[in-house]
């Protein structure tokens, strides 16, 4: 089905379409000439969306500036589908869902893939828990992450799906961090060990870096790697030569 998005600035008129199941985008025309700080702009948007514009799929200030990717993501969210970040013949990078919990748990629990990762869940949540309980905890984390991260920030950590088997085989994505005075988007990636050595992580990272360029999220992306993680260091060095945006590698001791 081709994306169909109703665009307008009157909540009363747009509610007619929303009640009939259409994807509705509200244009905040009164903010098109707004002058102020980013914080003041955010406060104004929050006030407007809480009084009259609640319940719609999304809001924007200049609809004509939306990229085709942003429109597609909006449409996929409207249909309850995970947004697609990028894909090629072998993999799909998409927003994470609760059903990815088993794979994400396996990545963090496996000593080979999890040893270089910061814990996703507090130790108190996992201590003494059975496997089913752990997977449920990861599923709840992913549910909340999908609800609050992607719509508000436009980026995050995404799942990597191998098309041939249809399985979630890892994750890769972006977080906002500050290390040694370098503040910005940091690239991260981790695959199930059974899928190492096939170039899937490199392809996923390139799709994400292309997304960064397409969405104009940043001119530079950082990747921070522990010195002993030689496999990841080699991957990042190869990515640096292929990345469509500047990729700066930080080696952590």
């Amino acid at each position: 089905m081709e994306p169909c998005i109703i665009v307008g600035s009157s909540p009363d008129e747009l509610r007619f379409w929303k009640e009939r199941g259409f994807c509705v985008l509200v244009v905040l025309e009164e903010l098109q000439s707004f002058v102020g700080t980013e914080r003041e702009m955010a406060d104004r948007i929050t006030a407007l969306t809480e009084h009259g514009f609640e319940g719609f799929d999304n809001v924007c200030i200049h609809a004509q500036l939306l990229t085709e990717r942003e429109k597609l993501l909006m449409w996929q969210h409207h249909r309850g589908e995970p947004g697609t970040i990028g894909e090629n013949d072998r993999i799909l990078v998409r927003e994470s869902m609760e059903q990815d919990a088993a794979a994400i748990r396996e990545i963090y629990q496996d000593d080979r893939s999890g040893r270089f990762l910061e814990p996703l869940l507090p130790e108190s949540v996992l201590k003494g828990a059975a496997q089913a309980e752990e997977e449920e905890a990861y599923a709840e984390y992913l549910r909340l992450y999908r609800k609050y991260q992607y719509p508000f920030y436009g980026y995050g950590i995404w799942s990597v799906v191998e098309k041939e088997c249809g399985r979630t085989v890892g994750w890769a994505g972006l977080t906002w961090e500050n290390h040694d005075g370098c503040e910005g988007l940091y690239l991260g990636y981790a695959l199930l060990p059974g899928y190492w050595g096939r170039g899937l992580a490199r392809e996923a990272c390139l799709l994400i870096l292309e997304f960064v360029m397409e969405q104009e999220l940043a001119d530079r992306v950082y990747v921070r790697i522990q010195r002993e993680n030689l496999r990841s260091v080699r991957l990042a060095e190869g990515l640096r030569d292929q990345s469509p945006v500047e990729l700066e590698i930080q080696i952590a001791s």
Side-chain angles (χ1 to χ4, degrees):
M1 180 184 297
E2 289 293 323
C4 177
I5 302 174
I6 305 298
V7 181
S9 58
S10 169
D12 292 333
E13 294 177 1
L14 291 173
R15 196 160 282 111
F16 170 88
W17 297 103
K18 182 62 180 176
E19 291 171 352
R20 283 154 180 79
F22 284 85
C23 179
V24 175
L25 170 66
V26 178
V27 179
L28 303 178
E29 290 184 341
E30 66 180 84
L31 295 183
Q32 291 178 354
S33 58
F34 178 83
V35 177
T37 65
E38 289 187 7
R39 181 67 218 178
E40 291 169 337
M41 172 70 82
D43 289 342
R44 291 289 298 276
I45 292 174
T46 299
L48 288 170
T49 53
E50 288 179 346
H51 300 89
F53 293 100
E54 70 280 0
F56 295 107
D57 293 279
N58 215 326
V59 297
C60 71
I61 299 174
H62 297 281
Q64 68 274 20
L65 299 181
L66 291 176
T67 66
E68 292 304 312
R69 176 75 65 183
E70 288 171 321
K71 295 174 186 176
L72 175 60
L73 287 171
M74 192 185 310
W75 176 247
Q76 290 175 318
H77 292 161
H78 170 74
R79 291 171 56 84
E81 302 170 355
T84 300
I85 303 307
E87 62 181 308
N88 59 26
D89 292 339
R90 296 208 298 168
I91 62 168
L92 170 72
V93 179
R94 59 156 174 78
E95 294 172 351
S96 296
M97 305 175 68
E98 293 90 319
Q99 50 262 49
D100 299 324
I104 301 302
R105 172 195 171 275
E106 187 175 347
I107 289 171
Y108 279 87
Q109 295 298 317
D110 191 293
D111 289 338
R112 293 166 293 174
S113 54
R115 60 182 294 219
F116 297 114
L117 301 175
E118 292 292 330
L120 193 64
L121 299 176
E123 179 62 28
S124 59
V125 174
L126 301 176
K127 187 176 182 179
Q131 178 175 334
E133 295 173 323
E134 288 185 0
E135 289 187 9
E136 180 57 34
Y138 278 101
E140 176 63 10
Y141 177 92
L142 294 176
R143 185 188 70 79
L144 295 174
Y145 191 88
R146 183 183 179 196
K147 180 178 180 180
Y148 294 109
Q149 176 70 27
Y150 304 131
F152 290 97
Y153 296 96
Y155 63 85
I157 300 297
W158 299 292
S159 293
V160 179
V161 179
E162 187 186 37
K163 287 184 173 180
E164 183 177 359
C165 65
R167 185 186 182 190
T168 299
V169 299
W171 64 253
L174 305 163
T175 54
W176 188 271
E177 301 176 23
N178 187 338
H179 296 284
D180 302 325
C182 296
E183 183 176 19
L185 290 176
Y186 278 75
L187 176 68
Y189 40 84
L191 259 62
L192 292 167
Y195 293 86
W196 289 359
R198 297 169 54 184
L200 300 180
R202 180 186 63 82
E203 292 179 16
C205 289
L206 284 176
L207 288 171
I208 289 169
L209 292 168
E210 289 169 4
F211 179 80
V212 170
M213 179 187 66
E214 176 189 303
Q215 298 300 110
E216 298 181 346
L217 296 178
D219 296 322
R220 173 185 297 176
V221 173
Y222 301 94
V223 58
R224 187 173 178 84
I225 309 167
Q226 295 183 37
R227 188 177 304 278
E228 59 269 31
N229 191 355
L230 299 180
R231 180 185 294 271
S232 187
V233 171
R234 289 194 296 268
L235 172 58
E237 289 174 344
L239 284 173
R240 184 169 51 191
D241 297 331
Q242 297 177 287
S243 176
V245 297
E246 183 178 353
L247 185 64
E248 181 173 321
I249 302 172
Q250 298 177 351
I251 303 298
S253 56

